[in-house]
């Protein structure tokens, strides 16, 4: 009688890294983003998610307005009224906006490291609160400069979804839903409250199938609720020094998330935070 041989099924694993709140160019620090890069390499991550606030949109708007005013004044001083184009103000504004966007996209390109092993950056945009429309335009320019940058949640009207999907090629774990704030957050005494509020706002409004996981950015916390609204939910740290706390326990760093299928039961999600607060200077 021929003997049968049992073939072992080895565990399948997907690892990725997530953070939020780079807050470029005001509070961003090169050594912190390099620590995220190092964490991704060490974890053999497939990709890195930046869940909102890549750019300090309010600071960029504050910089843009006086510089545009100066450019308009220069044009008026150097061009006699009879020689000005019919729509000269719109022309000057458009030209300066393109220059401003290019300038900051180049700076962000220098700041954001390329990660060895073909690891890409997937960026969700908190357009209404943190990144602002001007930040979205800079990130769009960055995406054209870099083959390792993916913007997620783009809509046909040019705006960005605050609850975009990240498709994942991992059987049984196909979609990550990234949620970023669409209103200015306030302080919460319970660490998970802000994350749960954002999830509770999203779930009743969607008709889509449940994602494999929900990832929440811009909360300044690093929490993991294994089963909330039927799926694992993780909030990821911010990556800049926090001046105004949103919770009793704010974390600066990144999360390394592992999705494990050992073939013996449900897929497991394990989230561990890398806390960079001791590295901040």
């Amino acid at each position: 009688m021929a003997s049968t041989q049992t073939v072992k099924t080895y565990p399948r694993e997907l690892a990725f890294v997530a953070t939020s709140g780079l807050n470029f160019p005001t509070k961003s620090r090169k050594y912190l983003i390099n620590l995220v890069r190092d964490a991704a390499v060490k974890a053999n991550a497939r990709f890195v998610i930046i869940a909102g606030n890549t750019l300090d949109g309010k600071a960029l708007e504050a910089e843009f307005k006086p510089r545009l005013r100066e450019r308009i004044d220069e044009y008026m001083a150097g061009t006699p009224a009879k020689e000005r184009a019919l729509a000269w103000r719109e022309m000057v504004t458009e030209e300066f906006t393109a220059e401003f966007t290019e300038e900051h996209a180049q700076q962000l390109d220098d700041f954001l490291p390329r990660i060895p092993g073909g690891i890409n950056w997937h960026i969700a945009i908190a357009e209404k609160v943190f990144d602002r429309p001007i930040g979205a335009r800079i990130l769009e320019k960055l995406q054209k400069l870099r083959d390792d940058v993916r913007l997620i949640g783009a809509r046909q009207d040019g705006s960005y979804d605050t609850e975009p999907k990240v498709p994942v090629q991992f059987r049984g774990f196909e979609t990550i839903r990234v949620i970023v704030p669409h209103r200015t957050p306030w302080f919460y005494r319970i660490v998970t409250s802000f994350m749960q509020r954002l999830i509770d706002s999203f779930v009743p409004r969607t008709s889509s199938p449940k994602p494999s996981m929900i990832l929440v950015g811009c909360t300044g916390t690093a929490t993991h609720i294994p089963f909330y609204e039927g799926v694992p939910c993780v909030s990821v740290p911010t990556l800049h020094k926090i001046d105004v706390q949103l919770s009793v326990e704010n974390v600066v760093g990144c999360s390394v998330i592992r999705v494990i299928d050992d073939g013996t039961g449900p897929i497991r999600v394990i989230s561990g935070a890398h806390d960079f607060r001791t590295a901040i200077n």
Side-chain angles (χ1 to χ4, degrees):
M1 183 176 177
S3 62
T4 58
Q5 187 177 15
T6 302
V7 179
K8 293 183 178 180
T9 302
Y10 292 96
R12 298 185 303 125
E13 182 174 322
L14 163 73
F16 65 95
V17 172
T19 189
S20 64
L22 278 62
N23 213 47
F24 184 86
T26 53
K27 296 181 180 179
S28 54
R29 298 293 181 269
K30 184 70 173 179
Y31 65 89
L32 291 179
I33 196 66
N34 284 343
L35 288 173
V36 174
R37 174 202 61 196
D38 295 345
V41 172
K42 186 176 180 179
N44 194 26
R46 192 175 298 180
F47 51 85
V48 178
I49 294 176
I50 302 177
N53 193 198
T54 303
L55 290 158
D56 185 348
K58 291 182 179 179
L60 289 168
E61 288 175 340
E63 177 188 350
F64 177 86
K65 291 176 182 178
R67 287 181 59 184
L68 173 60
R69 179 71 258 177
E70 183 180 352
R71 178 64 63 84
I72 290 174
D73 290 345
E74 289 175 357
Y75 179 86
M76 292 177 66
T79 309
K82 62 181 180 180
E83 296 179 12
R84 295 172 193 168
L86 184 62
W88 67 267
R89 189 177 295 271
E90 291 80 0
M91 178 191 71
V92 173
T93 300
E94 184 177 339
E95 289 177 353
F96 176 73
T97 300
E99 291 176 17
F100 187 88
T101 301
E102 175 76 25
E103 172 189 329
H104 285 280
Q106 291 284 357
Q107 292 174 3
L108 184 56
D109 181 23
D110 293 338
F111 173 80
L112 192 68
R114 292 183 182 271
I115 309 177
I119 300 172
N120 292 330
W121 299 93
H122 295 260
I123 302 177
I125 300 177
E127 188 176 16
K128 295 181 179 179
V129 182
F130 297 110
D131 296 291
R132 309 291 293 163
I134 195 168
R137 304 294 84 79
I138 291 169
L139 287 167
E140 288 169 352
K141 183 63 178 179
L142 177 68
Q143 183 175 231
K144 293 178 180 179
L145 297 174
R146 298 272 293 260
D147 59 3
D148 62 335
V149 170
R150 307 283 187 273
L151 304 186
I152 57 176
R155 293 180 171 134
Q156 290 185 345
D157 64 358
S159 65
Y160 285 84
D161 191 353
T162 57
E163 299 149 350
K165 297 178 183 178
V166 178
V168 181
Q169 294 182 348
F170 191 84
R171 190 175 65 255
F173 187 95
E174 286 85 17
T175 307
I176 301 168
R177 179 74 74 163
V178 181
I179 299 179
V180 298
H182 56 274
R183 294 189 182 91
T184 303
W186 57 81
F187 180 82
Y188 289 87
R189 291 186 178 276
I190 300 173
V191 175
T192 60
S193 291
F194 186 23
M195 174 179 75
Q196 289 174 281
R197 175 174 168 263
L198 291 172
I199 296 170
D200 291 342
S201 174
F202 156 72
V203 171
R205 293 184 288 101
T206 182
S207 58
S208 301
K210 287 183 179 180
S212 304
M213 175 185 178
I214 293 176
L215 190 78
V216 182
C218 304
T219 68
T221 62
T223 61
H224 178 198
I225 304 178
F227 198 76
Y228 187 71
E229 294 292 346
V231 297
C233 298
V234 172
S235 68
V236 299
T238 193
L239 203 65
H240 68 269
K241 185 177 180 180
I242 299 172
D243 296 324
V244 179
Q245 287 192 306
L246 299 179
S247 173
V248 293
E249 182 62 25
N250 286 127
V251 180
V252 177
C254 66
S255 292
V256 176
I257 300 160
R258 298 187 182 277
V259 181
I260 300 171
D261 179 11
D262 60 11
T264 63
I267 290 176
R268 293 180 294 132
V269 174
I270 300 173
S271 177
H274 289 219
D275 192 344
F276 301 156
R277 282 177 292 182
T278 57
I280 295 176
N281 54 35

